[in-house]
Amino acid sequence: HIIVLVAEALGEAAALEVAGVDVERVALDHFPSVSHISTTTELRQALVIFAHQVMHNMMTSGQLALLRNIIAELPHFPHLGDIFRQNGPARGIALATQLFTQLHHQGVISVHNAELSARMFIGPLLTYMFTDGLLQVGEPRVPERAIIEQHVELFLKTVTP
Protein backbone atom coordinates (compact mmCIF):
# COMPACT_ATOMS: atom_id res chain seq x y z
CA HIS A 1 0.00 0.00 0.00
CA ILE A 2 1.90 2.97 -1.33
CA ILE A 3 -0.59 5.35 0.28
CA VAL A 4 0.45 4.15 3.74
CA LEU A 5 4.17 4.45 3.03
CA VAL A 6 3.88 7.93 1.52
CA ALA A 7 1.51 9.10 4.27
CA GLU A 8 3.97 7.95 6.92
CA ALA A 9 6.88 9.70 5.23
CA LEU A 10 5.34 12.85 3.81
CA GLY A 11 1.84 13.23 5.23
CA GLU A 12 -1.67 12.53 4.02
CA ALA A 13 -1.85 15.33 1.41
CA ALA A 14 1.29 14.05 -0.31
CA ALA A 15 -0.09 10.51 -0.23
CA LEU A 16 -3.15 11.58 -2.18
CA GLU A 17 -1.01 13.47 -4.67
CA VAL A 18 1.39 10.57 -5.21
CA ALA A 19 -1.50 8.13 -5.54
CA GLY A 20 -2.89 10.22 -8.36
CA VAL A 21 -6.01 11.57 -6.71
CA ASP A 22 -7.01 14.59 -8.68
CA VAL A 23 -10.63 14.75 -7.64
CA GLU A 24 -10.78 18.52 -8.03
CA ARG A 25 -9.77 18.19 -11.69
CA VAL A 26 -12.59 15.72 -12.27
CA ALA A 27 -15.11 18.23 -11.00
CA LEU A 28 -13.64 21.36 -12.54
CA ASP A 29 -12.88 19.96 -15.98
CA HIS A 30 -16.50 19.14 -16.66
CA PHE A 31 -18.37 21.55 -14.42
CA PRO A 32 -20.86 23.72 -16.30
CA SER A 33 -20.07 27.41 -16.62
CA VAL A 34 -23.00 29.60 -15.68
CA SER A 35 -22.01 32.05 -18.41
CA HIS A 36 -23.04 29.45 -21.02
CA ILE A 37 -26.43 28.68 -19.47
CA SER A 38 -29.44 30.92 -19.90
CA THR A 39 -32.22 28.39 -20.54
CA THR A 40 -33.48 25.14 -19.07
CA THR A 41 -32.48 23.37 -22.28
CA GLU A 42 -28.89 24.59 -21.96
CA LEU A 43 -28.86 23.60 -18.28
CA ARG A 44 -30.20 20.14 -19.15
CA GLN A 45 -27.44 19.63 -21.72
CA ALA A 46 -24.74 20.92 -19.35
CA LEU A 47 -25.85 18.70 -16.46
CA VAL A 48 -26.04 15.59 -18.66
CA ILE A 49 -22.54 16.20 -20.00
CA PHE A 50 -21.20 16.94 -16.52
CA ALA A 51 -22.79 13.88 -14.89
CA HIS A 52 -21.78 11.60 -17.76
CA GLN A 53 -18.14 12.73 -17.65
CA VAL A 54 -17.86 12.56 -13.87
CA MET A 55 -19.35 9.08 -13.79
CA HIS A 56 -16.92 7.86 -16.47
CA ASN A 57 -13.94 9.47 -14.72
CA MET A 58 -14.76 8.33 -11.20
CA MET A 59 -15.99 4.83 -12.05
CA THR A 60 -12.74 3.48 -13.44
CA SER A 61 -11.18 0.43 -11.86
CA GLY A 62 -8.16 2.53 -10.83
CA GLN A 63 -10.16 5.32 -9.17
CA LEU A 64 -12.34 2.83 -7.32
CA ALA A 65 -9.31 0.83 -6.16
CA LEU A 66 -7.77 4.02 -4.87
CA LEU A 67 -10.96 4.95 -3.03
CA ARG A 68 -11.07 1.46 -1.48
CA ASN A 69 -7.47 1.96 -0.26
CA ILE A 70 -8.28 5.36 1.19
CA ILE A 71 -11.26 3.90 3.05
CA ALA A 72 -9.14 0.98 4.31
CA GLU A 73 -6.43 3.32 5.62
CA LEU A 74 -8.75 5.77 7.41
CA PRO A 75 -8.27 4.15 10.84
CA HIS A 76 -4.51 4.70 10.51
CA PHE A 77 -4.64 8.11 8.81
CA PRO A 78 -7.91 9.85 9.77
CA HIS A 79 -6.92 13.10 8.04
CA LEU A 80 -6.68 11.25 4.73
CA GLY A 81 -10.49 11.14 4.66
CA ASP A 82 -10.74 14.84 5.47
CA ILE A 83 -8.35 15.74 2.66
CA PHE A 84 -10.17 13.55 0.16
CA ARG A 85 -13.59 14.84 1.26
CA GLN A 86 -12.52 18.49 1.07
CA ASN A 87 -10.93 18.13 -2.37
CA GLY A 88 -13.58 15.83 -3.81
CA PRO A 89 -17.16 15.60 -2.60
CA ALA A 90 -17.20 18.86 -0.62
CA ARG A 91 -15.68 20.74 -3.54
CA GLY A 92 -18.25 19.27 -5.94
CA ILE A 93 -21.12 20.21 -3.64
CA ALA A 94 -19.74 23.74 -3.27
CA LEU A 95 -19.40 24.16 -7.05
CA ALA A 96 -22.92 22.84 -7.67
CA THR A 97 -24.29 25.07 -4.90
CA GLN A 98 -22.64 28.10 -6.49
CA LEU A 99 -23.95 27.15 -9.94
CA PHE A 100 -27.51 26.64 -8.72
CA THR A 101 -27.41 29.89 -6.72
CA GLN A 102 -26.30 31.86 -9.77
CA LEU A 103 -28.87 30.19 -12.02
CA HIS A 104 -31.55 30.96 -9.44
CA HIS A 105 -30.57 34.65 -9.49
CA GLN A 106 -30.67 34.60 -13.29
CA GLY A 107 -34.18 33.12 -13.23
CA VAL A 108 -33.20 29.88 -14.99
CA ILE A 109 -34.18 27.74 -11.98
CA SER A 110 -35.98 28.25 -8.70
CA VAL A 111 -34.31 26.85 -5.60
CA HIS A 112 -35.03 27.54 -1.96
CA ASN A 113 -31.79 26.00 -0.76
CA ALA A 114 -29.04 25.70 -3.36
CA GLU A 115 -26.91 23.36 -1.23
CA LEU A 116 -29.78 20.91 -0.78
CA SER A 117 -30.43 21.07 -4.52
CA ALA A 118 -26.73 20.36 -5.15
CA ARG A 119 -26.85 17.36 -2.84
CA MET A 120 -30.08 16.20 -4.47
CA PHE A 121 -28.39 16.29 -7.87
CA ILE A 122 -25.07 14.70 -6.83
CA GLY A 123 -26.33 12.16 -4.27
CA PRO A 124 -28.12 9.78 -6.64
CA LEU A 125 -25.07 9.71 -8.91
CA LEU A 126 -22.97 8.59 -5.97
CA THR A 127 -25.29 5.62 -5.41
CA TYR A 128 -24.15 4.28 -8.79
CA MET A 129 -20.52 4.71 -7.77
CA PHE A 130 -21.24 2.86 -4.53
CA THR A 131 -23.47 0.01 -5.72
CA ASP A 132 -22.14 -0.48 -9.25
CA GLY A 133 -18.56 0.55 -8.56
CA LEU A 134 -17.19 0.08 -5.05
CA LEU A 135 -19.31 -2.98 -4.33
CA GLN A 136 -19.15 -4.39 -7.85
CA VAL A 137 -17.04 -7.49 -8.44
CA GLY A 138 -15.13 -7.02 -11.66
CA GLU A 139 -15.43 -3.96 -13.86
CA PRO A 140 -17.61 -1.11 -12.65
CA ARG A 141 -20.95 -0.64 -14.40
CA VAL A 142 -21.24 3.01 -15.40
CA PRO A 143 -24.87 4.05 -15.89
CA GLU A 144 -25.89 4.44 -19.50
CA ARG A 145 -26.38 7.93 -20.88
CA ALA A 146 -30.15 7.38 -21.03
CA ILE A 147 -30.21 6.79 -17.26
CA ILE A 148 -28.18 9.95 -16.66
CA GLU A 149 -30.56 11.89 -18.92
CA GLN A 150 -33.52 10.58 -16.90
CA HIS A 151 -31.77 11.58 -13.67
CA VAL A 152 -31.22 15.11 -14.98
CA GLU A 153 -34.82 15.33 -16.17
CA LEU A 154 -36.16 14.28 -12.77
CA PHE A 155 -33.85 16.75 -11.04
CA LEU A 156 -34.96 19.60 -13.32
CA LYS A 157 -38.60 18.90 -12.40
CA THR A 158 -37.71 19.89 -8.84
CA VAL A 159 -36.01 23.19 -9.73
CA THR A 160 -37.91 24.52 -12.72
CA PRO A 161 -41.37 26.07 -12.69
PDB file of all heavy atoms in Angstrom, residues 57-75:
ATOM      1  N   ASN A  57     -15.247   9.233 -15.328  1.00  0.00           N
ATOM      2  CA  ASN A  57     -13.936   9.474 -14.717  1.00  0.00           C
ATOM      3  C   ASN A  57     -13.800   8.817 -13.351  1.00  0.00           C
ATOM      4  O   ASN A  57     -12.733   8.298 -13.011  1.00  0.00           O
ATOM      5  CB  ASN A  57     -13.667  10.972 -14.586  1.00  0.00           C
ATOM      6  CG  ASN A  57     -13.389  11.623 -15.911  1.00  0.00           C
ATOM      7  OD1 ASN A  57     -13.079  10.964 -16.888  1.00  0.00           O
ATOM      8  ND2 ASN A  57     -13.513  12.941 -15.954  1.00  0.00           N
ATOM      9  N   MET A  58     -14.850   8.853 -12.566  1.00  0.00           N
ATOM     10  CA  MET A  58     -14.763   8.330 -11.198  1.00  0.00           C
ATOM     11  C   MET A  58     -14.993   6.824 -11.121  1.00  0.00           C
ATOM     12  O   MET A  58     -14.575   6.193 -10.171  1.00  0.00           O
ATOM     13  CB  MET A  58     -15.771   9.056 -10.287  1.00  0.00           C
ATOM     14  CG  MET A  58     -15.444  10.520 -10.071  1.00  0.00           C
ATOM     15  SD  MET A  58     -13.798  10.812  -9.378  1.00  0.00           S
ATOM     16  CE  MET A  58     -13.965  10.102  -7.760  1.00  0.00           C
ATOM     17  N   MET A  59     -15.675   6.257 -12.113  1.00  0.00           N
ATOM     18  CA  MET A  59     -15.985   4.830 -12.048  1.00  0.00           C
ATOM     19  C   MET A  59     -15.032   3.997 -12.890  1.00  0.00           C
ATOM     20  O   MET A  59     -15.431   3.052 -13.553  1.00  0.00           O
ATOM     21  CB  MET A  59     -17.447   4.581 -12.423  1.00  0.00           C
ATOM     22  CG  MET A  59     -18.388   5.045 -11.325  1.00  0.00           C
ATOM     23  SD  MET A  59     -20.095   4.606 -11.591  1.00  0.00           S
ATOM     24  CE  MET A  59     -20.050   2.832 -11.490  1.00  0.00           C
ATOM     25  N   THR A  60     -13.755   4.339 -12.819  1.00  0.00           N
ATOM     26  CA  THR A  60     -12.745   3.480 -13.441  1.00  0.00           C
ATOM     27  C   THR A  60     -12.232   2.520 -12.375  1.00  0.00           C
ATOM     28  O   THR A  60     -12.309   2.810 -11.174  1.00  0.00           O
ATOM     29  CB  THR A  60     -11.569   4.301 -13.998  1.00  0.00           C
ATOM     30  OG1 THR A  60     -10.886   4.927 -12.901  1.00  0.00           O
ATOM     31  CG2 THR A  60     -12.040   5.347 -15.005  1.00  0.00           C
ATOM     32  N   SER A  61     -11.714   1.409 -12.811  1.00  0.00           N
ATOM     33  CA  SER A  61     -11.176   0.432 -11.856  1.00  0.00           C
ATOM     34  C   SER A  61     -10.097   1.059 -10.978  1.00  0.00           C
ATOM     35  O   SER A  61     -10.043   0.812  -9.777  1.00  0.00           O
ATOM     36  CB  SER A  61     -10.616  -0.780 -12.599  1.00  0.00           C
ATOM     37  OG  SER A  61     -11.646  -1.452 -13.266  1.00  0.00           O
ATOM     38  N   GLY A  62      -9.241   1.894 -11.581  1.00  0.00           N
ATOM     39  CA  GLY A  62      -8.164   2.534 -10.830  1.00  0.00           C
ATOM     40  C   GLY A  62      -8.664   3.504  -9.781  1.00  0.00           C
ATOM     41  O   GLY A  62      -8.189   3.494  -8.638  1.00  0.00           O
ATOM     42  N   GLN A  63      -9.610   4.355 -10.143  1.00  0.00           N
ATOM     43  CA  GLN A  63     -10.155   5.324  -9.175  1.00  0.00           C
ATOM     44  C   GLN A  63     -10.868   4.606  -8.031  1.00  0.00           C
ATOM     45  O   GLN A  63     -10.732   4.977  -6.873  1.00  0.00           O
ATOM     46  CB  GLN A  63     -11.122   6.290  -9.862  1.00  0.00           C
ATOM     47  CG  GLN A  63     -10.463   7.303 -10.746  1.00  0.00           C
ATOM     48  CD  GLN A  63      -9.752   8.396  -9.958  1.00  0.00           C
ATOM     49  OE1 GLN A  63      -9.859   8.522  -8.743  1.00  0.00           O
ATOM     50  NE2 GLN A  63      -9.004   9.206 -10.674  1.00  0.00           N
ATOM     51  N   LEU A  64     -11.624   3.571  -8.361  1.00  0.00           N
ATOM     52  CA  LEU A  64     -12.343   2.833  -7.324  1.00  0.00           C
ATOM     53  C   LEU A  64     -11.381   2.072  -6.418  1.00  0.00           C
ATOM     54  O   LEU A  64     -11.585   2.019  -5.200  1.00  0.00           O
ATOM     55  CB  LEU A  64     -13.379   1.904  -7.959  1.00  0.00           C
ATOM     56  CG  LEU A  64     -14.523   2.634  -8.663  1.00  0.00           C
ATOM     57  CD1 LEU A  64     -15.353   1.657  -9.479  1.00  0.00           C
ATOM     58  CD2 LEU A  64     -15.395   3.394  -7.671  1.00  0.00           C
ATOM     59  N   ALA A  65     -10.318   1.515  -6.986  1.00  0.00           N
ATOM     60  CA  ALA A  65      -9.314   0.834  -6.162  1.00  0.00           C
ATOM     61  C   ALA A  65      -8.650   1.816  -5.208  1.00  0.00           C
ATOM     62  O   ALA A  65      -8.410   1.504  -4.033  1.00  0.00           O
ATOM     63  CB  ALA A  65      -8.275   0.158  -7.053  1.00  0.00           C
ATOM     64  N   LEU A  66      -8.367   2.991  -5.708  1.00  0.00           N
ATOM     65  CA  LEU A  66      -7.769   4.023  -4.871  1.00  0.00           C
ATOM     66  C   LEU A  66      -8.712   4.422  -3.737  1.00  0.00           C
ATOM     67  O   LEU A  66      -8.295   4.540  -2.580  1.00  0.00           O
ATOM     68  CB  LEU A  66      -7.412   5.238  -5.723  1.00  0.00           C
ATOM     69  CG  LEU A  66      -6.763   6.405  -5.004  1.00  0.00           C
ATOM     70  CD1 LEU A  66      -5.467   5.969  -4.342  1.00  0.00           C
ATOM     71  CD2 LEU A  66      -6.515   7.527  -5.993  1.00  0.00           C
ATOM     72  N   LEU A  67      -9.975   4.598  -4.053  1.00  0.00           N
ATOM     73  CA  LEU A  67     -10.958   4.951  -3.028  1.00  0.00           C
ATOM     74  C   LEU A  67     -11.079   3.834  -1.987  1.00  0.00           C
ATOM     75  O   LEU A  67     -11.157   4.108  -0.785  1.00  0.00           O
ATOM     76  CB  LEU A  67     -12.312   5.239  -3.668  1.00  0.00           C
ATOM     77  CG  LEU A  67     -13.405   5.764  -2.742  1.00  0.00           C
ATOM     78  CD1 LEU A  67     -12.943   6.989  -1.967  1.00  0.00           C
ATOM     79  CD2 LEU A  67     -14.649   6.087  -3.557  1.00  0.00           C
ATOM     80  N   ARG A  68     -11.038   2.594  -2.429  1.00  0.00           N
ATOM     81  CA  ARG A  68     -11.068   1.465  -1.482  1.00  0.00           C
ATOM     82  C   ARG A  68      -9.859   1.525  -0.540  1.00  0.00           C
ATOM     83  O   ARG A  68      -9.985   1.273   0.653  1.00  0.00           O
ATOM     84  CB  ARG A  68     -11.086   0.135  -2.232  1.00  0.00           C
ATOM     85  CG  ARG A  68     -12.403  -0.173  -2.895  1.00  0.00           C
ATOM     86  CD  ARG A  68     -12.352  -1.550  -3.586  1.00  0.00           C
ATOM     87  NE  ARG A  68     -13.538  -1.749  -4.380  1.00  0.00           N
ATOM     88  CZ  ARG A  68     -13.572  -1.701  -5.716  1.00  0.00           C
ATOM     89  NH1 ARG A  68     -12.462  -1.494  -6.404  1.00  0.00           N
ATOM     90  NH2 ARG A  68     -14.701  -1.908  -6.350  1.00  0.00           N
ATOM     91  N   ASN A  69      -8.674   1.854  -1.093  1.00  0.00           N
ATOM     92  CA  ASN A  69      -7.471   1.958  -0.265  1.00  0.00           C
ATOM     93  C   ASN A  69      -7.581   3.101   0.728  1.00  0.00           C
ATOM     94  O   ASN A  69      -7.166   2.964   1.884  1.00  0.00           O
ATOM     95  CB  ASN A  69      -6.225   2.134  -1.142  1.00  0.00           C
ATOM     96  CG  ASN A  69      -5.773   0.834  -1.748  1.00  0.00           C
ATOM     97  OD1 ASN A  69      -5.927  -0.230  -1.154  1.00  0.00           O
ATOM     98  ND2 ASN A  69      -5.221   0.906  -2.945  1.00  0.00           N
ATOM     99  N   ILE A  70      -8.102   4.226   0.283  1.00  0.00           N
ATOM    100  CA  ILE A  70      -8.280   5.361   1.193  1.00  0.00           C
ATOM    101  C   ILE A  70      -9.196   4.971   2.341  1.00  0.00           C
ATOM    102  O   ILE A  70      -8.892   5.220   3.515  1.00  0.00           O
ATOM    103  CB  ILE A  70      -8.809   6.592   0.435  1.00  0.00           C
ATOM    104  CG1 ILE A  70      -7.721   7.139  -0.496  1.00  0.00           C
ATOM    105  CG2 ILE A  70      -9.289   7.676   1.407  1.00  0.00           C
ATOM    106  CD1 ILE A  70      -8.196   8.203  -1.463  1.00  0.00           C
ATOM    107  N   ILE A  71     -10.310   4.326   2.021  1.00  0.00           N
ATOM    108  CA  ILE A  71     -11.261   3.899   3.053  1.00  0.00           C
ATOM    109  C   ILE A  71     -10.588   2.912   4.010  1.00  0.00           C
ATOM    110  O   ILE A  71     -10.737   3.026   5.228  1.00  0.00           O
ATOM    111  CB  ILE A  71     -12.521   3.291   2.411  1.00  0.00           C
ATOM    112  CG1 ILE A  71     -13.308   4.386   1.683  1.00  0.00           C
ATOM    113  CG2 ILE A  71     -13.389   2.594   3.461  1.00  0.00           C
ATOM    114  CD1 ILE A  71     -14.409   3.872   0.777  1.00  0.00           C
ATOM    115  N   ALA A  72      -9.815   1.984   3.466  1.00  0.00           N
ATOM    116  CA  ALA A  72      -9.144   0.983   4.305  1.00  0.00           C
ATOM    117  C   ALA A  72      -8.118   1.611   5.241  1.00  0.00           C
ATOM    118  O   ALA A  72      -7.895   1.107   6.348  1.00  0.00           O
ATOM    119  CB  ALA A  72      -8.475  -0.066   3.421  1.00  0.00           C
ATOM    120  N   GLU A  73      -7.495   2.702   4.815  1.00  0.00           N
ATOM    121  CA  GLU A  73      -6.434   3.320   5.618  1.00  0.00           C
ATOM    122  C   GLU A  73      -6.937   4.405   6.571  1.00  0.00           C
ATOM    123  O   GLU A  73      -6.152   4.951   7.350  1.00  0.00           O
ATOM    124  CB  GLU A  73      -5.357   3.893   4.699  1.00  0.00           C
ATOM    125  CG  GLU A  73      -4.626   2.853   3.880  1.00  0.00           C
ATOM    126  CD  GLU A  73      -3.967   1.764   4.721  1.00  0.00           C
ATOM    127  OE1 GLU A  73      -3.620   2.011   5.893  1.00  0.00           O
ATOM    128  OE2 GLU A  73      -3.794   0.648   4.198  1.00  0.00           O
ATOM    129  N   LEU A  74      -8.218   4.714   6.537  1.00  0.00           N
ATOM    130  CA  LEU A  74      -8.749   5.768   7.406  1.00  0.00           C
ATOM    131  C   LEU A  74      -8.478   5.546   8.894  1.00  0.00           C
ATOM    132  O   LEU A  74      -8.169   6.508   9.593  1.00  0.00           O
ATOM    133  CB  LEU A  74     -10.249   5.960   7.163  1.00  0.00           C
ATOM    134  CG  LEU A  74     -10.607   6.704   5.893  1.00  0.00           C
ATOM    135  CD1 LEU A  74     -12.121   6.751   5.716  1.00  0.00           C
ATOM    136  CD2 LEU A  74     -10.017   8.092   5.875  1.00  0.00           C
ATOM    137  N   PRO A  75      -8.569   4.324   9.412  1.00  0.00           N
ATOM    138  CA  PRO A  75      -8.270   4.150  10.837  1.00  0.00           C
ATOM    139  C   PRO A  75      -6.836   4.548  11.200  1.00  0.00           C
ATOM    140  O   PRO A  75      -6.574   5.016  12.301  1.00  0.00           O
ATOM    141  CB  PRO A  75      -8.494   2.654  11.076  1.00  0.00           C
ATOM    142  CG  PRO A  75      -9.445   2.240  10.001  1.00  0.00           C
ATOM    143  CD  PRO A  75      -9.079   3.090   8.811  1.00  0.00           C
TER     144      PRO A  75
END
